[in-house]
Amino acid sequence: MLIRPRLYTYRRCPYAIRSRLALYQAKIDYESIEISLKDKPIDFLALSPKGTVPVLVDNNGKVIEESLEIMIWALNKSDPDNWIINDNNLSQELINENDFSFKKNLDRYKYADRFPEYSKEYYRSQCELFINVLNEKLKSKNYLMTEKISLADIAIFPFIRQFSLVDEDWFLNSKYRELKKWLQRFIESQMFKDVMKKN
């Protein structure tokens, strides 16, 4: 009997969202296990002692603990719209900037009261360094790398969504017109609606 992959996930986590989007795109049938971050199950911690989502257990029992690795694993099985091919050499650089520098600033912007060294507006201005780079890229094309969706778009989009929700009024009135259109396309897409459904 074929064992379905299991994905330990948290619905609103941007790392988990991008993993689910890749699994959805690859049409992989998997078991989704929603984790309570305040009460993590023992079997989950036994698989991944660091206790962060997402974690995928593949058909052979191999544990994959990083969201980008889960995305590549899924798309290597099936990549019908060539998300990987539509990337270019700058893609990994952009994803790294998102995952490290931007994510660090985003956490401080989102939880500014926990980081009283600077104001919420200061942390937002640090996020804007990356936001501006993305907006400039989108002035010449519909997506970050080419005219088609790529791995970079899917890997970065959930974090920009999280940024937009910290202060929705500010974001809606911001100057980042192209980025807002790009974000809205993903938010309104059927694939995003499907992966955000509650179990």
Side-chain angles (χ1 to χ4, degrees):
M1 187 174 101
L2 185 65
I3 299 173
R4 286 196 302 163
R6 301 195 311 278
L7 181 75
Y8 293 87
T9 184
Y10 177 62
R11 184 171 166 271
R12 290 177 293 150
C13 168
Y15 294 105
I17 291 170
R18 70 185 185 183
S19 298
R20 296 199 305 271
L21 286 167
L23 289 161
Y24 179 91
Q25 176 71 0
K27 294 180 172 56
I28 291 173
D29 179 29
Y30 67 95
E31 180 185 1
S32 179
I33 303 169
E34 186 79 9
I35 294 295
S36 168
L37 300 182
K38 294 179 180 178
D39 185 20
K40 298 169 185 173
I42 294 171
D43 63 331
F44 167 64
L45 292 172
L47 288 168
S48 179
K50 66 177 185 170
T52 59
V53 293
V55 172
L56 180 82
V57 183
D58 76 6
N59 316 69
N60 301 312
K62 179 184 176 183
V63 177
I64 307 174
E65 298 180 276
E66 297 295 334
S67 59
L68 270 177
E69 290 181 28
I70 294 171
M71 295 179 78
I72 297 297
W73 176 86
L75 295 170
N76 278 338
K77 291 187 175 296
S78 177
D79 187 7
D81 294 322
N82 299 316
W83 284 1
I84 293 176
I85 293 172
N86 289 335
D87 266 14
N88 65 27
N89 293 335
L90 296 175
S91 172
Q92 192 58 54
E93 188 178 312
L94 205 63
I95 294 171
N96 287 343
E97 178 72 15
N98 176 81
D99 288 9
F100 297 100
S101 179
F102 178 71
K103 180 62 167 68
K104 178 182 175 181
N105 289 317
L106 174 58
D107 286 344
R108 282 158 173 72
Y109 174 42
K110 189 177 178 184
Y111 304 111
D113 56 331
R114 300 181 192 174
F115 301 95
E117 299 87 348
Y118 296 100
S119 67
K120 181 177 181 178
E121 290 73 23
Y122 172 81
Y123 293 125
R124 183 172 65 209
S125 72
Q126 296 304 294
C127 291
E128 285 185 86
L129 298 175
F130 185 61
I131 294 293
N132 194 60
V133 168
L134 301 183
N135 194 69
E136 287 299 313
K137 284 182 170 294
L138 293 164
K139 284 182 178 179
S140 60
K141 50 193 175 296
N142 285 324
Y143 296 99
L144 293 173
M145 294 295 134
T146 71
E147 286 297 335
K148 295 183 177 181
I149 294 174
S150 74
L151 182 70
D153 293 285
I154 300 301
I156 292 170
F157 145 69
F159 297 87
I160 306 305
R161 173 180 174 269
Q162 193 173 71
F163 173 81
S164 76
L165 294 173
V166 177
D167 186 337
E168 292 184 74
D169 287 340
W170 178 89
F171 185 75
L172 287 172
N173 292 302
S174 72
K175 63 184 180 181
Y176 304 110
R177 190 167 64 92
E178 287 77 13
L179 184 73
K180 286 186 281 188
K181 288 194 297 184
W182 170 85
L183 178 63
Q184 200 60 31
R185 277 200 296 273
F186 283 116
I187 289 172
E188 292 175 355
S189 69
Q190 192 60 50
M191 67 174 176
F192 179 67
K193 292 174 183 176
D194 286 348
V195 303
M196 291 302 287
K197 287 176 181 173
K198 292 183 179 179
N199 290 338

